[in-house]
Amino acid sequence: MHTLIIAITIIHVLAGTVALLVGLVAMFSKKGAKVHNRSGLIYVWAMIVVAVTALPMCVLQSFNLFRLFLTGIAVLSFYLCMTGWRATKQKKSGPTQADRLLTYGTLVVSVGMMGFGAYLLTDGVSVFAVLFPFFGFLTFRNAWRDAKSFGHAPEKMHWFYHHIARMGASYIATFTAFLVNNMYRMMPAGTPEWVGTIGWIAPTLVGGLLIARTIRHYKQKFDRPKTTLA
């Protein structure tokens, strides 16, 4: 069993590293270009491996709040990545039954994260008592928005904005997991708990602003009337 856990952990770390590297390539390459599409597809498959390996890493080892929370982040990253990727496939067909099942399943996980966070708060305020509800709510909000959109006609270019928002948020969640995994190892003994909490939340706040700015840029670009030569 120990050997199996080590093997799964190595695969998980390698897949996460690949996702972080190729994610940057997809992010900064021209949208729709071959490099963007290929690196984006590699990112999607790497994130699938990250999510698949995160579950046995949590189940096969002794209970640990940090490990359980990272599993929740893996679910969030996977959902954001899959819905961002699926957005490019739904330009005409709309969401499939599989898309709906993924959304409803994620809603259940998000409610579980928020509920577990509320349970932890009964023992007082702590890092994980704050993080579980925070990221549980983020997961719930994204899945709930998708659930409400089922059966409704999307706005013009919705798939494009949805793709940017979800893939970008997926990368932020993956980067956050990478950051805190290493940050806690480097922090000196006696570092206040709130420092670690900032490491969890800051990438989401900063990255969210950058994503919003990017979407605003493209909306202005697409809504700008085309000039004609006299």
Side-chain angles (χ1 to χ4, degrees):
M1 182 64 71
H2 181 66
T3 303
L4 176 61
I5 293 174
I6 291 177
I8 294 174
T9 302
I10 292 174
I11 295 172
H12 180 84
V13 172
L14 288 176
T17 302
V18 170
L20 287 172
L21 294 177
V22 299
L24 288 175
V25 176
M27 197 181 306
F28 292 106
S29 58
K30 183 180 179 181
K31 305 297 181 286
K34 186 180 295 184
V35 173
H36 176 82
N37 294 340
R38 288 184 176 178
S39 58
L41 188 58
I42 294 173
Y43 176 79
V44 170
W45 279 106
M47 289 305 300
I48 291 175
V49 174
V50 168
V52 169
T53 53
L55 295 177
M57 285 174 60
C58 181
V59 173
L60 298 178
Q61 300 183 77
S62 58
F63 180 78
N64 180 287
L65 273 179
F66 183 68
R67 192 178 298 117
L68 179 63
F69 183 70
L70 285 179
T71 304
I73 294 298
V75 172
L76 172 61
S77 301
F78 174 75
Y79 182 74
L80 293 170
C81 176
M82 289 304 296
T83 53
W85 175 64
R86 287 291 302 160
T88 63
K89 313 297 179 184
Q90 299 173 6
K91 288 184 283 187
K92 296 181 180 179
S93 62
T96 64
Q97 187 63 28
D99 295 318
R100 289 180 169 84
L101 289 174
L102 176 63
T103 294
Y104 297 142
T106 304
L107 278 173
V108 172
V109 173
S110 67
V111 171
M113 291 180 68
M114 290 188 290
F116 188 67
Y119 167 75
L120 293 177
L121 282 172
T122 60
D123 288 333
V125 178
S126 63
V127 171
F128 289 110
V130 173
L131 293 178
F132 269 100
F134 178 78
F135 283 94
F137 174 74
L138 290 181
T139 307
F140 178 85
R141 185 183 66 174
N142 284 289
W144 181 248
R145 285 180 176 177
D146 291 343
K148 289 200 304 180
S149 69
F150 294 153
H152 298 281
E155 66 173 315
K156 182 182 178 181
M157 296 299 292
H158 170 76
W159 68 270
F160 183 77
Y161 305 135
H162 198 63
H163 176 70
I164 292 176
R166 292 298 173 85
M167 297 300 275
S170 170
Y171 188 88
I172 292 170
T174 305
F175 174 79
T176 301
F178 166 81
L179 174 66
V180 296
N181 251 313
N182 293 279
M183 179 181 68
Y184 281 110
R185 294 190 180 98
M186 295 184 294
M187 288 193 307
T191 302
E193 280 193 344
W194 61 264
V195 176
T197 307
I198 291 176
W200 278 108
I201 297 177
T204 298
L205 298 179
V206 175
L209 291 174
L210 293 176
I211 291 173
R213 181 179 178 182
T214 301
I215 292 176
R216 184 168 62 249
H217 164 76
Y218 279 107
K219 283 189 174 183
Q220 292 174 347
K221 178 179 179 180
F222 292 146
D223 292 341
R224 189 181 303 134
K226 296 181 179 180
T227 57
T228 57
L229 294 176

